[in-house]
Amino acid sequence: MNLVEERRQEALSLFEKVGLPNKRDENWKYTDASRLADLLEIDGSNTAINIEGLGMVDLDAYRMVFINGAFDAAQSSLPDEVNIVSLATLQSSVSDDDSQALAKLFQVSGDEPLFNGLMALNAATASDGAAVCLADNSVLNKPLYILHVSNQNNVIRHGLMLGEHAQAQVIEHFISTAENKALSNCVTALILKNGASLEHSRLQQEGKQQSHIARVEVKQCRDSSYTFHGVELGASLSRTDLVVNLSEQGASCALNGLFVLDGRQHVDHHTRVDHTAPHCTSHENYRTVLDGRSHAVFNGKVVVHEGASKTDSVQSNGNLLLSKHAEIDTKPELEIYNDDVKCAHGATVGQLDDKQLFYLRSRGVSEEAAQELLTFAFADEVLAKMSNTTVRRYIEKAAFAKLPHSEGIEGLLGE
Amino acid sequence: MLVIKDLHVSVDGKEILKGLSLTINAGEVHAIMGPNGAGKSTLSNVIAGRDGYEVTSGSLTYKGEDLLAMKPEERAWAGVFLAFQYPVEIPGVNNTYLLKAGVNAKRKYQGLDELDAFDFMSVVKEKAKLVELDTSFLTRSVNEGFSGGEKKRNEIFQMAVLDPDLALLDETDSGLDIDALRIVAGGVNKLRSADRAIVMITHYQRLLDYIEPDFVHVLADGEIQKTGDKSLALKLEEHGYDWVKENL
């Protein structure tokens, strides 16, 4: 058995030992993972799906398409000169020398922040993923668009490594073609070497019955910069654990989240940022717009370790409740073991501002349109930091379509 | 155009306007002056339709219609405009979008076709010149990050674009330095017309040096205490508001 297989076996044993997360685990207090119990079997029969007309983002980009967790080369378009391959391909062709590096991608330890059984299960059962390795000083000249299409359970594991001063933009997009119950379990592991810079968007638009479990792990070296945009529009239950380690000085991350939920949707993001080196920055901004009986959970934990002087950390979480049945559980947390730091955190929960509503109405905007306009503006603020305007417009349109009375202010888009 | 009869208004159970009556005709410019707490802002808010003001008796008739039965946006469509004392910042909603939504909603109410983007922008650019507003304002969020003077200029700019029949200027002069005041007043003067009534609510006589009113009213204790021409404002400036009370 090679090293990779050994790690995956270990991960399986670990999962068998710990099982699914349960409500006794503080990190899973509000999200009921027992709902996932009957969704763990992977159906090996992989149906082909044509991505035409599925509503993907119309981007000038390199494209990797995964159908039910398997790379579809025919529907993908990748550059020849850059090292972007599918993980399954890489595994089958890797030399013994390189297998050690690859094995690391499948290594899971119970000591990791926000560890849970699902991430072990992912390492054990992932069928495929993107394996991206950007050389030092290289700039990916187009965004990498990773499209995940599913109509059944799927397990995906991506590994991306940006060499020193490398730059890239990656967009992960999740859609499903069926309304059945199914589970997506996706892990994205990122390593940013010195001075590397990555803008990473994750757009989750899976079907109404779908469950989506994700983990994004980021290891940042010196002076690297990571920007995350997590947009949650779809699925019935969606949980993301975002774990960032600012391990060398001068590293910075910006974590942005937007949930627009309705019906009985349940979305939970747990973020964990470890400042272990001096002069690192973490800026976090999450916003939710909740209608119907939807439920959002935000838990943002920042740990400033002893050696992390001159840390600059800001966390903010704003929540707009459009319905009296919607619910938010928000908990920004700070643990600080160093005196020489600048840290702030805060959360707000509320309705629309009466003064703003009146101002708009006094200018002739109808009450409903004014409400929609302010709701949209509230949500859109998070997207302002997204550099790719095509992706931003796509998200705005999709988020907009979920608002209750959006007809009146359609003209706002594209202004 | 606007007839206010024996208006009583309470806020949180406390009576602020205590039987105010006032008639305003097209083409007239009125100044309503008064000390703090007299009910000046209450009056403008009630006319514009803000929540939280309880009209306990009296009437507000605008162009023959009961204004109190209309929603704030309906009042705007019918030609009522309020320049706010404290214009609110609205991050994420851009000025152009707001104006376009307002102009087109009003045109729809009047049974007119919506303005196309080109016609709209030429109106907007022309009006921006009235208050010397740089067109870069248009793409910014409503009032966000504007200085006090910029906010007030933006109010008059919106007034120019929305082209109201009845314009209420609530302390538009407060917080302005002399240059900004001159610009804002210049804009208002250019908007004076035979079809339009303008009501200026102010604490200071200074504004009236730049915009000459046809009538000056002194509002104190929830009622109009005295009405005169612009010389009344000068007397007020000289003697203070106590003089009105002493001479009742």
Side-chain angles (χ1 to χ4, degrees), chain A residues 49-56 63 65 67 72 75-76 147 149 175:
Chain A
I49 301 172
N50 187 338
I51 60 168
E52 284 306 313
L54 289 185
M56 58 180 162
R63 189 167 73 203
V65 176
I67 307 290
D72 184 333
Q75 302 195 79
S76 300
L147 178 65
V149 185
I175 55 181

Side-chain angles (χ1 to χ4, degrees), chain A residues 356 359 361 363-364 367, chain B residues 73 77 82 89 97 155 158:
Chain A
Q356 293 180 339
Y359 190 89
R361 294 177 72 189
R363 298 301 180 249
E367 186 175 10
Chain B
E73 57 268 35
W77 300 336
L82 170 63
E89 299 195 7
Y97 180 77
E155 293 295 290
Q158 292 186 10

Side-chain angles (χ1 to χ4, degrees), chain B residues 3-186:
Chain B
V3 180
I4 305 173
K5 266 191 196 153
D6 194 30
L7 189 67
H8 292 255
V9 177
S10 296
V11 179
D12 294 330
K14 190 181 172 223
E15 189 164 62
I16 306 289
L17 296 184
K18 303 168 183 171
L20 185 145
S21 296
L22 185 63
T23 298
I24 291 158
N25 297 308
E28 295 173 354
V29 175
H30 292 246
I32 297 177
M33 303 185 68
N36 289 327
K40 301 193 300 291
S41 285
T42 297
L43 178 63
S44 61
N45 282 322
V46 168
I47 296 171
R50 188 178 204 138
D51 279 347
Y53 296 85
E54 195 196 345
V55 177
T56 49
S57 68
S59 66
L60 270 176
T61 310
Y62 172 72
K63 294 183 186 170
E65 307 247 359
D66 177 11
L67 199 61
L68 295 172
M70 295 160 80
K71 294 179 185 174
E73 57 268 35
E74 290 169 338
R75 299 181 197 199
W77 300 336
V80 176
F81 178 88
L82 170 63
F84 284 72
Q85 181 180 4
Y86 302 110
V88 57
E89 299 195 7
I90 313 182
V93 175
N94 92 35
N95 272 313
T96 307
Y97 180 77
L98 170 59
L99 286 172
K100 203 166 160 185
V103 166
N104 282 331
K106 184 176 175 182
R107 289 180 67 90
K108 199 173 158 190
Y109 174 84
Q110 293 169 327
L112 300 169
D113 287 338
E114 293 193 352
L115 282 184
D116 67 28
F118 182 81
D119 289 342
F120 174 73
M121 282 317 288
S122 52
V123 170
V124 160
K125 281 180 181 157
E126 180 202 320
K127 305 292 186 188
K129 283 184 201 147
L130 276 184
V131 282
E132 301 173 29
L133 204 55
D134 191 274
T135 45
S136 68
F137 268 63
L138 296 170
T139 53
R140 288 169 61 182
S141 291
V142 176
N143 294 320
E144 193 187 23
F146 287 21
S147 69
E150 286 171 336
K151 282 180 184 168
K152 296 298 176 80
R153 270 153 71 187
N154 194 34
E155 293 295 290
I156 302 306
F157 164 61
Q158 292 186 10
M159 170 181 162
V161 173
L162 293 168
D163 195 22
D165 299 324
L166 173 64
L168 308 157
L169 313 184
D170 190 0
E171 310 238 0
T172 296
D173 55 324
S174 64
L176 293 184
D177 63 32
I178 208 79
D179 291 332
L181 179 61
R182 212 174 268 142
I183 292 168
V184 165

